[in-house]
Each structure stands twice: as C-alpha cells, then as structure tokens.
Amino acid sequence: MKAIKMISMSLLIGLFLIMSSNVYAQDPMKAGPKVYKKILLENDKVRVMSAEFAPGATMPWHSHPHHTVYALTGGKIKITEKGKPATNADIKAGDVLYFPPVTHMAKNTGTTTFKIVVTEIKPAKKK
C-alpha cells in the first residue's frame, strides 16, 4: 500500500512539472492561434510568422529563441517576461526589434490592431 501511494505521488508531481513547463514554454502558434495567424516561411534556419493583436487581445505565455519583430502597424503593447515586471512599449510602424530567447506574454493596450512579423532564428544543429 505504501508503494502505491509513493508511485501515485511521484506520478502526480511529474504531471504537475510537465504541465507547468508547458505553460511557460509553449510554441506561439499553439499558445495563441487568435494572435499568431500564419507561418510565412519555415526552414532549418528560421521561422517567420505573422501576428495580429486586436485591441485588448492577450497572447498567453509562450517562448521564442533569438528573434526579431518587424512592426507592420504601430501599436501599444504590454510585455511581461517570466520573472520580471511588465513593460509598456509604444511601437511605430516600420520599427524593427531584436530579442534574445525569452518566455513572455503580451497584451495590446492600444485602441488599434497591432500587426507584426516575427522571425525566429533557429539554433544551429549540432553535428
């Protein structure tokens, strides 16, 4: 009986750890299909995605490797990185931003739809 309780507890803890890591390491295309609209290009080097944040739209927790963001339209966005306070940004159409690997969430705090192109740089494959 004691062994069954120990195994059950181990499975429960393992399931919790798997679920909590997925919350913070989710692919943006899966985490926010209402925001991340389409993969424009994908190969072994990059993945390019279009995203549209309607006013008030929230992108749940997700992760990116090194990536750039090109703003097709301007907008106001609040970004919260894992373990850090939220920051607000006023991004203008044509702005290009670079980000190191990150786990974050985002919310459009403006009154217009904010459209971006996100280019993720895939890690080099080990030989």
Side-chain angles (χ1 to χ4, degrees), residues 44-55:
D44 61 333
K45 305 284 185 206
V46 298
R47 178 168 70 160
V48 181
M49 301 166 284
S50 65
E52 294 182 13
F53 287 81

Side-chain angles (χ1 to χ4, degrees), residues 51-57 69-79 87-95 97 106-116:
E52 294 182 13
F53 287 81
V69 173
Y70 174 72
L72 297 170
T73 63
K76 295 177 186 284
I77 194 156
K78 179 170 34 173
I79 305 268
T87 57
N88 292 297
D90 190 0
I91 298 172
K92 305 209 178 338
D95 282 355
L97 308 162
K107 180 177 183 175
N108 180 347
T109 57
T111 58
T112 60
T113 299
F114 179 51
K115 297 179 182 182
I116 59 175

Side-chain angles (χ1 to χ4, degrees), residues 96-109:
V96 180
L97 308 162
Y98 165 80
F99 299 96
V102 66
T103 298
H104 63 185
M105 64 181 294
K107 180 177 183 175
N108 180 347
T109 57

